[in-house]
Amino acid sequence: MGKAKKTRKFAQVKRVINTKKDVRITLKDTKNRKERESNTRHIDALPASMYFKANTALGPPYHVLVDTNFINFSIQNKIDIKKGMMDCLYAECFPCITDCVMAELEKLGSKFRLALKIAKDECFERLPAMQEGNTYADDDLVARVQAHRIYIVATCDKDLKRRLRKIPGVPIMSIKQRKYVVERMPGGGVDNVYKAAPK
């Protein structure tokens, strides 16, 4: 006995699911719709000091929140922190350091003991952590700036800068060409960047 030949069936098309009538799809959509409705976005109201996107609460003497890597880069570039800030902003500055930044510096060990010694100096104003038990400095700095927009944040960390740029009215100080530079300062120039005067 030989093998039976199978004839090819013409005009046979794959069955397509009808999106309007199929029960499986409608059940999924109703579940997703309920989840989307429950996840409403919450947008924080801007403080009254934010007038025309310029922070009027920010003025001399300036309070500058210092990050861990800003101290390290200042040491590498041989810049005195307090003097460099005053040269950049042309006003009196109070560098502030949080407990989280101090904890980060202590964790780094003996390699960064000079940075820790500079951070323990009396010219730095010590601030408690915003959340108890939090040792991640970036989250603490962002939380502090969102709560009180009276600070300039000094950092060289790209990720932290990206997070801070989303918060309106918060200037960011960093190091460029062995000088301190402030971006997003109210009343800034063409490119909205202040630079320290050359020596």
Side-chain angles (χ1 to χ4, degrees), residues 11-193:
Q12 189 176 20
V13 183
K14 285 185 178 179
R15 291 185 180 170
V16 180
I17 297 174
N18 190 347
T19 56
K20 294 177 184 174
K21 294 180 182 176
D22 198 349
V23 179
R24 295 171 291 183
I25 292 175
T26 54
L27 286 174
K28 284 182 184 177
D29 283 346
T30 54
K31 288 178 184 175
N32 291 341
R33 195 177 299 128
K34 286 177 185 175
E35 288 175 12
R36 275 186 253 136
E37 288 172 1
S38 65
N39 294 337
T40 56
R41 284 182 54 198
H42 174 69
I43 299 171
D44 295 330
L46 289 176
S49 62
M50 293 293 297
Y51 184 69
F52 287 130
K53 292 186 179 179
N55 193 351
T56 55
L58 194 67
Y62 296 107
H63 295 273
V64 184
L65 281 175
V66 181
D67 192 23
T68 311
N69 53 21
F70 188 79
I71 299 171
N72 294 333
F73 278 104
S74 296
I75 293 168
Q76 285 177 6
N77 291 308
K78 297 175 182 169
I79 304 171
D80 182 37
I81 293 175
K82 182 127 179 164
K83 188 175 179 294
M85 286 177 184
M86 290 175 80
D87 288 345
C88 180
L89 296 169
Y90 301 114
E92 191 176 1
C93 300
F94 296 114
C96 305
I97 201 157
T98 61
D99 289 342
C100 294
V101 173
M102 289 298 286
E104 235 177 53
L105 281 168
E106 287 166 359
K107 279 183 194 173
L108 289 172
S110 62
K111 189 177 178 184
F112 297 96
R113 66 179 176 271
L114 182 60
L116 185 63
K117 188 178 180 182
I118 289 171
K120 286 182 178 177
D121 192 16
E122 292 175 3
C123 74
F124 282 90
E125 194 176 314
R126 286 292 297 268
L127 300 172
M130 287 293 283
Q131 300 163 345
E132 288 298 321
N134 183 16
T135 56
Y136 188 55
D138 292 2
D139 290 342
D140 192 58
L141 292 174
V142 169
R144 184 169 294 280
V145 166
Q146 281 179 336
H148 314 288
R149 296 188 191 185
I150 57 167
Y151 297 106
I152 297 171
V153 181
T155 184
C156 295
D157 187 10
K158 288 181 182 177
D159 294 330
L160 181 58
K161 279 185 187 177
R162 191 178 300 124
R163 286 174 68 182
L164 290 169
R165 284 185 188 118
K166 293 176 184 174
I167 306 168
V170 178
I172 304 166
M173 182 181 282
S174 59
I175 300 171
K176 280 187 184 172
Q177 299 172 354
R178 295 185 179 271
K179 293 177 194 138
Y180 290 162
V181 176
V182 178
E183 63 179 70
R184 294 178 54 194
M185 192 76 170
V190 177
D191 57 347
N192 209 8
V193 172

